[in-house]
Amino acid sequence: MELILSAGIGALAASGIYLLLRPRTYQVVIGLSLLSYAVNLFIFSMGRLRVNAPPVLEPGGVGDLLRYTDPVPQALVLTAIVIGFAMTALFLVVLLVSRGFTGTDHVDGREPPRGD
Amino acid sequence: MLSVFILAPFGGSLIAIFFPSDQRGATAWFAGAIALICFLVTAALYPFVATGGVLRFELAWIPELGLNFKLRMDGFAWLFSALITAIGFLVVLYARYYMAEEDPVPRFFALFLAFMGSMLGVVLSGNLILLAVFWELTSIVSFLLIGYWHHNAHARDGARIALTMTGMGGLAMFVGLLLIGRAVGSYDLDVVLASGDVIRNDPLYNAILVLVLLGALTKSAQFPFHFWLPHAMAAPTPVSAYLHSATMVKAGVFLLARLWPVMAGTEAWFWIVGLAGLTTLLLGAYFAIFQQDLKGLLAYSTISHLGLITVLLSLGSPLAAIAAVFHIVNHATFKASLFMAAGIIDHETGTRDMRRLSGLFHYMPITATLAMVASAAMAGVPLLNGFLSKEMFFAEAIETHLINTLDTATPYVATIASMFAVTYSLRFIHSVFFGPLPSDLPKKPHEPPRWMRAPVDFLVLACLVVGIIPAQTIGPFLHTAVVSILREETPVYSLAVWHGLNIPLIMSFVALSGGVGLYFLMRSYLATGIEGPPVFRLLEGQRIFERVLVTLSWKWARSLEQSLGTRHLQPQMRLLVFLALAAGALPLAIGGFQLPPLVIRGIDPAFALLWGIGIACAVGSAFLAKFHRLASLVLLGGAGLVTCLTFVWLSAPDLAVTQLLVEIVTTVLILLGLRWLPKRIEEPETADIPLKVRFRRLRDFLLAAAAGGGVALVAYTVMTRPLIQETIAATSSPGPTTRAAARMSSMSSWSIFAASTRSAKSPCSASSRSRSLRCCCASARTRTAWKRRSSRRCRRPMTTTIPRGRRATASPSIFTSPR
């Protein structure tokens, strides 16, 4: 379980970082999205993996806390997902504006002298 | 009751800013009323303070860190509060007439009140952290006050220099105060003042001393940080009169005196403080002689007098400390009146240049008389207050405190410096009020309005009364202040004009006659009208300061930018990724890293299949993003869905729902954006890709793979380690409450993260191998928390790992109202 998830996180992070280093704005936006999946899963996994554990405390009794999932990483990830979305949206707009102003989709706003 | 001192000025400041700008009188009356109320409250508190009582006011601020908003008033703080509020009131009255019609007066009075509040905060703080906060506030507000006439370039420069110097000193002092807090175990001033031996014997005493002194000496404009003060003279005169007589610069000597009982008396203190003080005393007085600007002369004289107070505090003897406190009061009275007099002259004649001013006695005899009395006090003429404290200074200077050259030199330096003081005081009077009638003044001089002169009247009267009958006027107040600093060490002393014919009197006589003689010798040189002292003129503090600033913030920054900077995004991103990778790998490389055991069993095939798809989606999306945007987007969605399913699988349905919604919206958004992107058609991929491009792609690929592998490794290591929460909960008998568990788990996640890097075999053995992670400072706190828990389980006391500052934080927050 842990092995697979960490391999998945690694693959997501590697693809994201590779795309971040590419010259086209679209690639960077996709890369950021991939990277944010990786980061979210990483934070989430800090609370350890739990299958079939109730995430919500039942009213009435406290019971055994060990049976529940760790709420703190979940809360952090919940915020991170929303922020990641806002960031993607913002970059998408920047991408389009930059394209409109400069006529190119290169991250530097102009085409390099030789093609990449 | 004490909260009035903070609430009234700051509240008043907020109200004053909303006055209409043409209401000069109303704003002034309002500000004056606030200052007067503060003064009356101070006066009302005197009976309590005089009996040795200490007023306290406490409010919970950050109770988790043991920090309370604590105000504390003892005799010394009382004396300072009285000075601040009384002179504040007089300066407000004066400013009412000084400020011109077109000046935005509400801003002035608002800043003025804010400054008064922060200064009161400095002297009344009962807590070192609070003291540092108010200390920085005085720096910031003084910046705004000095730069009040912001259309004037000199004012802007002066404000900037003052802020840079005092701000940097304040930061150094803050670190010093933190070190004190660490050494003592508490930031509470009462505790700190009671643990002088702890501080003096601390291994870090020298560091504490240097850092705190940096703060105090920059604030008090001591050599070599003195040069900001003359430049601050571009401020409106009421500001100068307030900041440079009773408040801003006095904050430095206040701190020295406040910490005197716990820090003074060592050789390091004597050398640093004494050397700075003596140099300042002498150089300030010498420079003052050669100024052509009235306020410039007063500025250097202020520097010199502050040097005198610093020297007194450096000596480490109780009598010298008494003289220092006395001189603080005396200097505030005569210097405030002199600044106001200089302002009156400026206001009524239109210039402050001593080369143009002369013979003003004819036009303004009353102001001239007042100024003469005040500058006689500055020179130390008998029957005035300046004489008394100067006598005490001489008496202390000839005493031997420590046997070394500095101590031997003190009486000589003192005599020469006070000779210079006589010379510049005489010059102030003689060149402005006597001589031929002025011919080319911008305005026709006349006496100022009656109420503009009233503050000067009052202060000069105070100089006279204190100078003639000291024991009956200032005596009891001074005694209250001194007892609160020295406590049971307070020696027997007497305030009297006549102590018989003794060495200090002879020194005074030498200084007076020598100073008068020197003035008449130098008159011809001074009349040539050269600004600044000979030789030293070339070595100007401001130029050095500017040079350093330019080098730091401009030249070095530029060369750095030229060598490292680029206008391309990709190299920067590459550098960023590389640095992040290095920062992550470094602790592992230093601290040692043991691979966790590979657990193959227990793998759910469905989960493996899910992530097989996920990984394929991610990699595919990365490779298609350049030419096949839509396909890449679809694959990105696939990776997102896999993430979403993982959340469902691992008991986080809320995350899954959020992820799904966000996923849909993101895809739609990008789809909308796709059509505006330029078309990119895949060229037939052949071998004609340049080698450079291939190399670049390979490098990026390796970088990405390394980063991804690292993330995967760290994630796996953390996940295969047990959560400490589980072990804790298993040992503690009753079930903890929900909140505690939540907090614990949040900490434990991080402590596990920190602990995972050091390959601990069992939690107990980890406490013994403490060296491995010392470099990783970020995890220091969590490590302590972790150790504490592990020690609890090991039943082994580990008190040494708990920071000392934490121990004294258990005091409950209580509201202590005076009486």
Side-chain angles (χ1 to χ4, degrees):
Chain A
M1 210 70 171
E2 283 85 4
L3 188 67
I4 293 170
L5 185 62
S6 48
I9 292 173
L12 284 173
S15 321
I17 290 170
Y18 180 74
L19 281 182
L20 277 190
L21 300 173
R22 298 295 87 217
R24 302 292 154 190
T25 42
Y26 183 73
Q27 290 174 309
V28 174
V29 171
I30 298 286
L32 277 174
S33 295
L34 284 174
L35 193 59
S36 68
Y37 293 149
V39 171
N40 289 347
L41 284 170
F42 182 81
I43 298 174
F44 176 69
S45 70
M46 292 298 110
R48 303 301 178 279
L49 311 185
R50 266 165 207 282
V51 183
N52 289 333
V56 180
L57 294 180
E58 280 157 27
V62 172
D64 187 5
L65 280 171
L66 293 179
R67 283 176 34 242
Y68 293 92
T69 53
D70 195 341
V72 176
Q74 292 202 17
L76 286 175
V77 172
L78 200 63
T79 324
I81 291 174
V82 179
I83 293 172
F85 165 64
M87 197 177 65
T88 310
L90 176 73
F91 276 120
L92 192 72
V93 174
V94 171
L95 180 162
L96 293 177
V97 170
S98 153
R99 155 87 173 112
F101 280 141
T102 63
T104 165
D105 64 342
H106 194 275
V107 284
D108 296 333
R110 59 168 177 226
E111 288 294 325
R114 274 174 299 158
D116 174 22
Chain B
M1 198 71 172
L2 282 182
S3 54
V4 172
F5 289 110
I6 303 300
L7 290 180
F10 282 114
S13 166
L14 279 181
I15 298 171
I17 199 92
F18 292 112
F19 274 74
S21 57
D22 55 339
Q23 293 288 311
R24 197 163 55 141
T27 323
W29 280 118
F30 176 73
I34 299 268
L36 194 62
I37 287 170
C38 287
F39 177 70
L40 291 179
V41 172
T42 317
L45 292 177
Y46 180 69
F48 181 69
V49 174
T51 53
V54 178
L55 284 163
R56 289 185 185 85
F57 169 81
E58 226 165 332
L59 206 65
W61 183 16
I62 315 175
E64 291 86 3
L65 298 176
L67 278 184
N68 284 339
F69 185 91
K70 182 179 173 189
L71 299 177
R72 175 183 181 279
M73 183 190 255
D74 58 4
F76 186 51
W78 183 88
L79 188 70
F80 252 96
S81 312
L83 266 184
I84 293 165
T85 49
I87 294 192
F89 173 68
L90 294 175
V91 171
V92 168
L93 187 64
Y94 175 79
R96 153 75 183 82
Y97 295 93
Y98 181 86
M99 303 309 284
E101 290 285 350
E102 62 272 16
D103 287 325
V105 175
R107 182 156 62 90
F108 176 82
F109 284 112
L111 288 174
F112 190 88
L113 285 177
F115 187 82
M116 192 163 92
S118 16
M119 196 59 209
L120 283 170
V122 168
V123 299
L124 293 178
S125 295
N127 175 317
L128 293 183
I129 303 291
L130 198 61
L131 177 80
V133 170
F134 281 117
W135 183 279
E136 292 296 338
L137 261 181
T138 59
S139 290
I140 294 167
V141 182
S142 73
F143 167 78
L144 296 172
L145 276 173
I146 294 170
Y148 174 71
W149 282 325
H150 48 69
H151 46 81
N152 180 345
H154 287 297
R156 293 198 303 266
D157 279 351
R160 193 164 49 87
I161 295 177
L163 181 69
T164 316
M165 292 311 294
T166 57
M168 283 199 304
L171 285 181
M173 182 199 76
F174 186 45
V175 177
L177 294 182
L178 288 180
L179 285 178
I180 291 183
R182 192 202 57 89
V184 178
S186 166
Y187 294 109
D188 196 306
L189 198 60
D190 286 309
V191 181
V192 170
L193 288 182
S195 43
D197 290 329
V198 180
I199 296 175
R200 275 189 292 264
N201 294 325
D202 196 74
L204 285 176
Y205 172 76
N206 284 333
I208 295 176
L209 183 69
V210 169
L211 288 168
V212 170
L213 287 184
L214 266 178
L217 296 184
T218 48
K219 200 78 158 184
S220 280
Q222 297 294 293
F223 182 83
F225 310 112
H226 61 281
F227 56 86
W228 69 262
L229 203 147
H231 290 283
M233 289 300 137
T237 302
V239 173
S240 309
Y242 194 47
L243 262 60
H244 304 141
S245 67
T247 54
M248 173 89 167
V249 292
K250 288 288 163 66
V253 285
F254 168 81
L255 187 74
L256 288 183
R258 181 92 277 181
L259 295 178
W260 188 88
V262 294
M263 293 187 76
T266 61
E267 196 146 329
W269 169 278
F270 177 76
W271 272 100
I272 303 177
V273 181
L275 206 59
L278 270 185
T279 320
T280 318
L281 169 65
L282 191 64
L283 283 186
Y286 177 67
F287 287 179
I289 300 176
F290 300 97
Q291 298 302 310
Q292 301 294 356
D293 178 6
L294 274 182
K295 278 173 79 179
L297 187 148
L298 292 178
Y300 277 106
S301 125
T302 301
I303 294 176
S304 168
H305 278 276
L306 288 166
L308 192 154
I309 298 169
T310 311
V311 173
L312 280 170
L313 289 169
S314 80
L315 294 176
S317 87
L319 276 174
I322 297 172
V325 177
F326 192 27
H327 199 68
I328 288 174
V329 180
N330 291 339
H331 176 253
T333 43
F334 66 69
K335 195 47 69 67
S337 60
L338 278 174
F339 267 118
M340 290 182 193
I344 289 176
I345 293 166
D346 185 18
H347 199 255
E348 307 304 341
T349 64
T351 179
R352 297 196 312 248
D353 194 330
M354 279 191 270
R355 286 166 291 200
R356 296 174 71 185
L357 293 167
S358 74
L360 288 186
F361 191 85
H362 181 75
Y363 296 107
M364 38 173 79
I366 303 177
T367 310
T369 316
L370 293 173
M372 273 188 262
V373 177
S375 49
M378 177 163 78
V381 173
L383 292 183
L384 291 165
N385 59 357
F387 172 73
L388 295 172
S389 42
K390 199 160 249 186
E391 284 283 276
M392 291 165 87
F393 171 51
F394 285 154
E396 277 306 304
I398 52 179
E399 292 282 328
T400 306
H401 300 281
L402 290 167
I403 299 165
N404 56 35
T405 36
L406 191 63
D407 196 67
T408 322
T410 309
Y412 301 102
V413 175
T415 316
I416 295 172
S418 56
M419 204 163 88
F420 289 155
V422 174
T423 308
Y424 66 66
S425 305
L426 195 60
R427 173 149 192 256
F428 183 88
I429 296 308
H430 192 261
S431 66
V432 172
F433 294 113
F434 296 97
L437 291 186
S439 49
D440 61 339
L441 290 179
K443 289 190 207 167
K444 175 132 179 71
H446 58 85
E447 280 286 348
R450 182 157 164 256
W451 287 103
M452 186 173 182
R453 215 183 53 218
V456 191
D457 292 340
F458 179 80
L459 287 170
V460 169
L461 192 68
C463 286
L464 269 169
V465 172
V466 169
I468 295 168
I469 39 169
Q472 288 79 13
T473 50
I474 191 77
F477 305 114
L478 186 65
H479 188 73
T480 311
V482 163
V483 167
S484 74
I485 299 179
L486 298 173
R487 311 224 173 146
E488 57 274 7
E489 281 181 58
T490 313
V492 182
Y493 65 97
S494 74
L495 293 174
V497 180
W498 180 251
H499 279 113
L501 190 66
N502 50 13
I503 302 178
L505 194 67
I506 295 171
M507 285 163 79
S508 285
F509 179 73
V510 169
L512 272 175
S513 50
V516 174
L518 189 68
Y519 176 64
F520 286 102
L521 277 178
M522 293 179 79
R523 264 182 78 185
S524 54
Y525 174 81
L526 291 173
T528 55
I530 299 170
E531 177 92 47
V535 185
F536 289 98
R537 185 171 58 230
L538 304 173
L539 203 134
E540 211 195 327
Q542 194 203 356
R543 292 223 325 256
I544 299 171
F545 174 81
E546 297 278 339
R547 190 70 58 79
V548 169
L549 214 62
V550 163
T551 314
L552 270 180
S553 68
W554 181 241
K555 285 191 183 155
W556 287 5
R558 272 193 102 177
S559 58
L560 203 67
E561 197 209 338
Q562 269 167 3
S563 60
L564 287 180
T566 166
R567 310 200 62 162
H568 301 291
L569 182 69
Q570 285 170 278
Q572 295 174 20
M573 291 300 290
R574 214 168 278 141
L575 194 66
L576 209 64
V577 171
F578 180 75
L579 282 181
L581 196 61
L586 196 67
L588 298 185
I590 295 173
F593 182 76
Q594 201 181 29
L595 275 175
L598 208 58
V599 185
I600 309 284
R601 65 193 155 71
I603 288 180
D604 194 330
F607 195 68
L609 181 69
L610 179 70
W611 270 103
I613 297 170
I615 292 172
C617 282
V619 176
S621 166
F623 278 96
L624 291 176
K626 188 167 183 186
F627 296 115
H628 305 281
R629 294 196 184 108
L630 186 61
S632 167
L633 182 59
V634 171
L635 289 176
L636 176 74
L641 279 181
V642 170
T643 310
C644 182
L645 285 175
T646 309
F647 285 141
V648 175
W649 205 298
L650 299 174
S651 335
D654 48 341
L655 295 187
V657 171
T658 320
Q659 181 76 56
L660 190 67
L661 289 174
V662 163
E663 200 54 51
I664 294 167
V665 182
T666 312
T667 312
V668 170
L669 261 184
I670 298 183
L671 272 177
L672 285 175
L674 268 183
R675 66 171 290 247
W676 277 285
L677 286 173
K679 211 170 235 176
R680 191 166 291 282
I681 298 162
E682 188 169 10
E683 298 143 15
E685 197 82 4
T686 47
D688 61 347
I689 303 173
L691 200 64
K692 208 171 145 192
V693 175
R694 278 174 179 239
F695 166 71
R696 207 172 346 168
R697 284 185 190 166
L698 183 68
R699 183 185 54 191
D700 290 350
F701 177 76
L702 288 179
L703 203 56
V711 172
L713 193 64
V714 172
Y716 182 68
T717 316
V718 175
M719 278 189 271
T720 47
R721 235 162 253 278
L723 204 58
I724 289 186
Q725 175 197 4
E726 292 164 12
T727 49
I728 295 259
T731 46
S732 61
S733 42
T737 61
T738 332
R739 250 180 73 196
R743 197 197 286 168
M744 224 180 255
S745 67
S746 73
M747 283 187 77
S748 58
S749 308
W750 287 106
S751 54
I752 272 290
F753 180 62
S756 66
T757 54
R758 78 174 106 159
S759 72
K761 290 184 195 76
S762 74
C764 276
S765 68
S767 59
S768 60
R769 42 167 69 219
S770 56
R771 200 196 57 80
S772 60
L773 242 194
R774 195 144 294 170
C775 59
C776 186
C777 56
S779 66
R781 203 191 306 160
T782 54
R783 203 151 59 94
T784 317
W786 192 72
K787 266 192 189 169
R788 226 180 306 174
R789 290 197 192 122
S790 67
S791 71
R792 201 186 304 155
R793 291 198 302 119
C794 298
R795 309 227 183 284
R796 199 195 301 163
M798 289 288 292
T799 43
T800 46
T801 57
I802 302 169
R804 291 159 92 186
R806 284 292 186 84
R807 237 180 284 158
T809 59
S811 62
S813 57
I814 38 167
F815 293 80
T816 329
S817 67
R819 301 233 170 148

